[in-house]
Amino acid sequence: MTKPRAGARRAEPLAELSAPSWFGHADEVIGASLGKLLRSLPAAMAMVGRTAWRADRRAVLLGFGAQVVSGLVTALGLLAVTGVLTSLFVAGPTPDRLSAAAPSLAVLAAAYALRGVADTAVSAATMRLRPKVRHQVERDLAEAISRIDLVTFDEPDFHDDLARSRHGGMDAVDTATLQAVAVVGGLVSLASTAATAALLHPLLLPVLLLSVVPETWATVRTARLEYEFVATMIETRRRRSLITDLLAYKESAAEVRVFGAQPFLLDQHDRHSRVMERAQIELGAKETRVALAGRALSGLGITLAYVTLGWLLYTGATPLAVAGAALLAIRTVRASLTQVVLAANRLFEKSLYISDLLAFFARARRRTPEVTGRSAPVDPEVVSLRGVSFTYPGASRSALADIDLTIRRGEVVALVGENGSGKSTLAKVLAGLYQPTAGAVCWDGVDLSTVDRGSVADNVAAVMQEPTRWPLTARYAVTLGRPDRPDPGDRYLDQVARDSGADAVVDTLSDGWDSLLTTRFRNGHDLSGGQWQRLSVARALYRDAPILICDEPTAALDARAEAAVYESLRTLQSGRTVVLITHRLASVRHADRIVVMHHGRVLQVGTHTELMASNPHYADLYNLQADSYRDDPAGESALGGQTVA
Ligand SMILES: Nc1ncnc2c1ncn2[C@@H]1O[C@H](COP(=O)(O)OP(=O)(O)OP(=O)(O)O)[C@@H](O)[C@H]1O
Ligand SMILES: [Mg+2]
């Protein structure tokens, strides 16, 4: 076979991601009317405000108070300037005029000093608030996620929404805090300056407006262009980072190399970069045109403002001193308005992301099981399923259909069946992790849907089919299910380590139980698949719960470790309910009852002997495996005649 050249590997840019739901908001945002943006603003501001208030009231009060003081002294400064100019412009000897202006000058100096202090206080308060607000929202989000019902994690768009909230939303909150302070500050200063100007002469207000409107337009327009750019590039940007992730993550690094996928991925990276480059250059050109128009119009506006001011002076409607102060007011108002417009624009932009975050919180609340205050029975005698069906969100077929099953304490019940027959799902349903879509799971007659989830979980330990590779120390990775259990001298820990074979794993680690199990940090260790599985068995044993679920607990274990695990399961069995899922039928022969599952239904329940006699489906599966262990050629040929439904 000839090796394909890198150039021949071109493929369409990740067509399967052509309309991801995380792109969802882009169109909406670009097409968003000003009205819509305005509506999203108060909710976003309220959220930031509430969070800031919870995070640090004193900083909020200080920031707000200092903001008002700053605005007021700006107005006071303007009045003082008028006073100074009025004293200076009267006829008479200069020393006299100067001494007449002295009190106003002193007020002016005090106003400037006070403003400096107030502005510093605002910065200090903002600096205090920003990280606190962000951390508060991060904490709220983490807590909301931690309470969400497990099944929500299977909802198709949940992860996109979560990603948008975690990244876009969190950054938005951060920026919004800063911008909200800027808007408030700008507005206070704007209002006080405008009020003072109007006080000096009513016509000064329109004059001020005239000088700032064109620049305001240009600022708004530029901000919208930038936002449009960001929104339209979200998809491309995220696709590109998906590619970089594939190159960067340890999980994919080996396959990237073994399949020689580098040229393909780099080519994809370049394509996306080129799209972004073109868009960015286009954006730059548009922004330049808008800035040019803005400046030209702004010049016109300022000229008009000055002409009006000159006309007011000429007609004697305004004294010279007031006109002088008006010039200063124009400058102040321009600066404040630009600040407000820029900040408000960023706020509008961010408020959409904050809306995402708020929507996520609302969704999380809906998906969080109610706390009823009722507890599940501790150490239940009987676990029963009555007419239980379960369908994963968005799935067209049910994973479990109409299941009736009763399990008693002290029993080992094995679930067997082909891949996808519903074993893992059934185990999760009877452990209360998933609520049945129909029917009920009862512990000692108490319907689990009526009690608090935490109290259900407290009775359950599980070896999951795909155990989490907890990036903690080995000790935490085993003890996290019962962190407070008193265990002097690690006696219990050592016992479960022996029973699961985790002791041999820990012996190989440089710091024993205190070794860190991730290579993402210095001095970390990674384990083999089977070693991870031994730890997961140890974790389940350490939790020491009345209901033990073992979903393929030995799939990755070597023969000796497997034998040890089954031996310890046998000793654990008394006084416990054990649900065992495995494809190795030799291991389930000794189970008290075996539940044969097929397409989400219970085909039959019985002992090994009963099933071998009466269930051809089970007998087929069993014989197929048993035959593969026989080394006589007759056994092999017998395999050829076997089929499994
Ligand atoms: N998170 C999920 N979302 C949607 N469908 C799922 C999900 N998990 C499993 N399924 C589907 O539910 C059915 C039952 O899956 P389950 O994991 O319970 O099978 P299983 O019997 O444990 O299989 P295996 O032997 O491969 O572990 C399958 O058709 C599977 O495709
Ligand atoms: Mg499974």
Side-chain angles (χ1 to χ4, degrees), residues 108-400:
L108 189 61
Y112 271 123
L114 198 56
R115 188 171 166 181
V117 172
D119 286 351
T120 312
V122 172
S123 310
T126 315
M127 274 191 288
R128 261 181 84 82
L129 270 179
R130 244 179 107 179
K132 286 195 177 190
V133 169
R134 188 184 174 114
H135 292 163
Q136 182 70 57
V137 179
E138 273 171 351
R139 177 66 169 72
D140 290 349
L141 188 66
E143 193 173 334
I145 299 167
S146 75
R147 292 178 198 274
I148 287 177
D149 201 3
L150 180 66
V151 75
T152 315
F153 287 78
D154 291 311
E155 287 180 7
D157 51 353
F158 169 76
H159 297 279
D160 292 334
D161 285 357
L162 176 58
R164 246 199 340 246
S165 299
R166 278 181 73 180
H167 304 297
M170 225 39 88
D171 287 341
V173 167
D174 202 6
T175 316
T177 314
L178 197 67
Q179 303 304 338
V181 175
V183 166
V184 173
L187 281 177
V188 171
S189 146
L190 196 66
S192 57
T193 316
T196 318
L199 205 70
L200 293 173
H201 194 285
L203 255 183
L204 283 182
L205 202 57
V207 168
L208 288 178
L209 279 180
L210 214 55
S211 75
V212 292
V213 165
E215 216 151 272
T216 310
W217 168 80
T219 317
V220 173
R221 183 86 194 104
T222 307
R224 303 266 322 141
L225 282 174
E226 272 175 20
Y227 187 57
E228 275 178 27
F229 168 75
V230 171
T232 42
M233 283 297 115
I234 287 177
E235 187 188 15
T236 318
R237 194 187 296 274
R238 294 204 47 186
R239 280 183 180 189
R240 200 180 64 165
S241 65
L242 199 73
I243 294 160
T244 323
D245 288 351
L246 285 172
L247 287 166
Y249 286 157
K250 184 181 167 183
E251 287 74 21
S252 47
E255 287 213 18
V256 164
R257 280 156 184 77
V258 83
F259 289 108
Q262 297 96 329
F264 168 77
L265 291 175
L266 290 173
D267 181 51
Q268 291 289 343
H269 187 274
D270 293 347
R271 281 161 179 251
H272 290 101
S273 292
R274 277 198 294 276
V275 171
M276 283 162 71
E277 268 164 33
R278 271 200 300 277
Q280 192 136 25
I281 292 167
E282 227 171 84
L283 169 74
K286 275 191 205 160
E287 279 188 359
T288 312
R289 283 199 292 276
V290 170
L292 201 65
R295 284 202 195 112
L297 286 173
S298 173
L300 204 66
I302 293 176
T303 312
L304 268 174
Y306 288 159
V307 168
T308 316
L309 207 55
W311 176 75
L312 286 175
L313 263 177
Y314 180 76
T315 55
T318 310
L320 191 57
V322 171
L327 282 182
L328 201 66
I330 288 178
R331 273 192 50 199
T332 315
V333 165
R334 281 170 65 80
S336 309
L337 200 71
T338 312
Q339 180 186 335
V340 169
V341 167
L342 265 178
N345 230 286
R346 301 230 71 191
L347 265 184
F348 284 146
E349 199 181 303
K350 298 301 169 194
S351 64
L352 286 160
Y353 291 106
I354 295 177
S355 310
D356 283 347
L357 193 60
L358 288 171
F360 184 83
F361 276 124
R363 178 187 189 150
R365 270 196 300 278
R366 283 196 306 276
R367 294 284 188 273
T368 301
E370 240 180 273
V371 177
T372 59
R374 281 192 294 275
S375 295
V378 178
D379 194 5
E381 173 102 37
V382 182
V383 174
S384 57
L385 284 81
R386 297 186 200 134
V388 164
S389 297
F390 180 80
T391 308
Y392 282 100
S396 52
R397 273 173 17 124
S398 58
L400 297 178

